[in-house]
Amino acid sequence: MAALNNMEKKLAEYKCDTNEAICLKLMRFPDDIEDDGTTFHPEYSHQIFGDDEVAFGYKGLQIQLYYTAGNLSTLFKVKYSSKVTEAFDCVEPDDIDGKIREIIPAGFTCNTDDFISLLDKEANFRPFGPLLHSYTVHNEEAGEVTYQIHKADLTCPGFREYHERLQTFLMWYIETASFIDADDDRWDFFLVFEKYNKDGETLYATVGYMTVYNYYVYPDKTRPRVSQMLILPPFQGEGHGAQLLEAIHRFYCGFPKVQDITAEDPSENYVKLRDFVLSKLCQGLPSFAEDKLHQGLSEDMIKESQEKLKINKKHTRRVYEILRLRATDMSDEEKAKQYRLEVKKRLFGPYRKNQRELAKMRKCLRPEELVSHMGQMDTQVQHEELEKSYQLVVEDYRRIIERLAAHA
């Protein structure tokens, strides 16, 4: 037994955390390859290396996935200080090379010098598709930096191959990511690029992107649904996601056949981003004027936000609640009560559904079964949960309001 435990300890030395071992770069200059400050790591690697996110068989494992900043030409190398087969004859290491090749498209290089030479070709790279929007962000080091949002599709020369390289990042940053069937012409692609200067020339770096699928809505409408959205780590926290989401709402406003915009299985962070963007867009609409907010959610709000901004009724309701909170003096007890009841009326929906279910159960359940289900729907518990939900909603709304104020 002691010998077995000793063996396990020795083998454990050959386990590596793949979120640390995978090193990603978006390179602009040759010196970036030795600069640890340009390296970033995945948030997830379970889809490639299993739920424990561990690679076995190597010490000092480093999986290099380096990309040129614009075209995303790729370098793939696996480095390590020692391999388990050097110490143990009958133990096989994980096939790192095979696992990574499953997700990165053909055309990458394994030679560092060849990869660095590709940086010279970045001057020829240009964003795909027409320009939709341009904006600037202040950077402490670079000053005012210009960004552009473009809409692309598969008819753009070279875009298909570029998209195959770009979507590999999804595996590292979206927990349940999957690659899409880009051949379907119902997909729209929205891309963010940074303009930067290198040796007197203007170059473009990939910042992030969004994919949108256009669903058919009977009888003659479409409903764009956001499928994937990713801002690459070096650019996160700079407001690019908000710029991108706002740009697509403004883009689809130009199409009368578009009914509204939704999102597929949105994350909590995406919902917060959407709340901010839609509130920012709606605050300038006449139907959302402060005096009208205190009169409650109106049909004018629902109609105007849908027609002008392609926002559906459910999201309009949230925007109304956010803007009404901003316009409400919560130190005034009566106004605060009115607001609280207005929000709780919406939140009470699921509990009201429970009551309807309970009424049905009374007709078909035995007494002991009914008691069990009634215990799950205790009125006092419902009130407590309702109040807890309300407080969490208001806390989220206040953060949105603070962000709106910062961008005023």
Side-chain angles (χ1 to χ4, degrees):
M1 181 65 72
L4 182 61
N5 289 337
N6 191 41
M7 174 67 79
E8 288 177 351
K9 289 180 181 178
K10 288 182 178 179
L11 290 175
E13 296 176 1
Y14 290 88
K15 291 183 178 181
C16 298
D17 180 340
T18 47
N19 289 334
E20 288 297 321
I22 297 168
C23 298
L24 304 165
K25 286 181 186 284
L26 291 167
M27 287 184 48
R28 304 185 184 194
F29 307 97
D31 291 348
D32 291 344
I33 204 153
E34 299 296 338
D35 182 0
D36 290 340
T38 63
T39 302
F40 52 101
H41 302 276
E43 290 182 21
Y44 310 104
S45 55
H46 62 276
Q47 295 208 69
I48 312 301
F49 292 99
D51 290 342
D52 56 356
E53 299 182 319
V54 165
F56 171 74
Y58 308 87
K59 285 184 181 179
L61 178 65
Q62 186 181 87
I63 303 167
Q64 295 180 346
L65 280 169
Y66 298 168
Y67 298 79
T68 59
N71 193 48
L72 304 180
S73 301
T74 311
L75 170 71
F76 168 46
K77 292 182 74 172
V78 178
K79 301 172 70 175
Y80 49 86
S81 57
S82 62
K83 199 172 182 179
V84 70
T85 49
E86 296 168 6
F88 302 94
D89 293 334
C90 300
V91 182
E92 287 296 319
D94 288 343
D95 180 11
I96 303 296
D97 191 80
K99 289 177 183 290
I100 297 296
R101 285 173 183 263
E102 287 179 6
I103 64 161
I104 60 171
F108 60 86
T109 180
C110 297
N111 183 284
T112 302
D113 291 336
D114 290 344
F115 174 71
I116 290 176
S117 71
L118 294 174
L119 291 173
D120 294 333
K121 298 181 180 180
E122 286 286 279
N124 300 322
F125 174 77
R126 289 292 179 270
F128 299 95
L131 173 67
L132 298 184
H133 178 55
S134 181
Y135 60 97
T136 59
V137 173
H138 181 76
N139 183 289
E140 289 186 7
E141 295 181 4
E144 295 296 315
V145 181
T146 299
Y147 297 87
Q148 296 182 176
I149 297 175
H150 291 250
K151 179 185 177 295
D153 58 47
L154 293 174
T155 64
C156 300
F159 177 71
R160 179 190 298 272
E161 294 77 14
Y162 166 87
H163 175 258
E164 288 180 354
R165 297 190 291 273
L166 176 59
Q167 70 176 350
T168 61
F169 286 98
L170 295 175
M171 290 297 167
W172 313 129
Y173 295 102
I174 297 180
E175 193 169 4
T176 56
S178 59
F179 293 162
I180 66 173
D181 176 13
D183 287 327
D184 190 329
D185 61 9
R186 286 181 172 270
W187 285 107
D188 286 335
F189 302 86
F190 298 87
L191 307 159
V192 188
F193 297 95
E194 176 194 334
K195 291 177 70 173
Y196 70 99
N197 187 278
K198 179 180 178 183
D199 300 328
E201 291 187 283
T202 298
L203 278 72
Y204 295 85
T206 299
V207 172
Y209 80 120
M210 175 185 287
T211 58
V212 178
Y213 192 80
N214 293 283
Y215 282 90
Y216 167 73
V217 178
Y218 181 84
D220 62 350
K221 301 274 189 179
T222 61
R223 172 173 285 128
R225 180 185 291 178
V226 175
S227 174
Q228 301 157 327
M229 179 178 179
L230 177 64
I231 302 299
L232 297 173
F235 304 97
Q236 290 176 3
E238 298 178 346
H240 302 297
Q243 291 282 354
L244 185 54
L245 188 55
E246 182 174 341
I248 74 157
H249 272 272
R250 295 195 183 281
F251 171 76
Y252 287 116
C253 285
F255 297 88
K257 293 293 185 181
V258 170
Q259 181 158 305
D260 51 40
I261 300 168
T262 62
E264 180 182 343
D265 192 22
S267 67
E268 185 178 334
N269 285 337
Y270 180 85
V271 171
K272 292 176 181 177
L273 175 68
R274 182 174 62 197
D275 283 344
F276 165 70
V277 170
L278 301 190
S279 298
K280 180 185 174 188
L281 290 171
C282 286
Q283 65 184 350
L285 298 178
S287 61
F288 286 85
E290 187 171 324
D291 60 323
K292 295 180 180 178
L293 289 167
H294 294 292
Q295 298 172 23
L297 179 67
S298 68
E299 285 301 317
D300 285 345
M301 293 176 185
I302 294 168
K303 182 179 179 182
E304 188 175 25
S305 61
Q306 191 274 328
E307 289 181 350
K308 294 185 177 180
L309 297 167
K310 307 301 181 184
I311 302 173
N312 65 30
K313 183 177 180 179
K314 178 182 176 182
H315 299 157
T316 298
R317 171 79 199 214
R318 287 181 66 87
V319 167
Y320 153 74
E321 290 177 0
I322 292 166
L323 297 180
R324 179 167 175 178
L325 176 61
R326 186 177 68 173
T328 300
D329 179 4
M330 295 299 279
S331 65
D332 183 313
E333 191 172 322
E334 183 58 32
K335 290 179 179 177
K337 179 182 177 182
Q338 290 175 2
Y339 179 79
R340 185 170 63 252
L341 291 174
E342 180 78 5
V343 175
K344 283 189 173 182
K345 185 168 63 176
R346 172 180 65 81
L347 295 174
F348 190 66
Y351 300 101
R352 194 159 48 231
K353 181 181 178 183
N354 280 346
Q355 294 299 328
R356 291 196 296 269
E357 291 176 352
L358 184 58
K360 293 177 183 176
M361 288 176 187
R362 286 196 175 100
K363 299 177 181 178
C364 59
L365 292 181
R366 296 192 301 273
E368 61 272 19
E369 292 174 324
L370 185 60
V371 168
S372 173
H373 283 281
M374 288 178 69
Q376 297 173 24
M377 300 178 183
D378 179 80
T379 302
Q380 180 62 33
V381 172
Q382 287 184 18
H383 284 301
E384 291 173 359
E385 289 299 314
L386 187 60
E387 177 62 23
K388 190 185 300 182
S389 296
Y390 169 76
Q391 294 297 337
L392 290 173
V393 164
V394 169
E395 187 179 326
D396 285 341
Y397 286 178
R398 290 192 189 281
R399 281 195 282 266
I400 301 297
I401 291 168
E402 288 174 5
R403 190 172 177 185
L404 288 170
H407 288 78

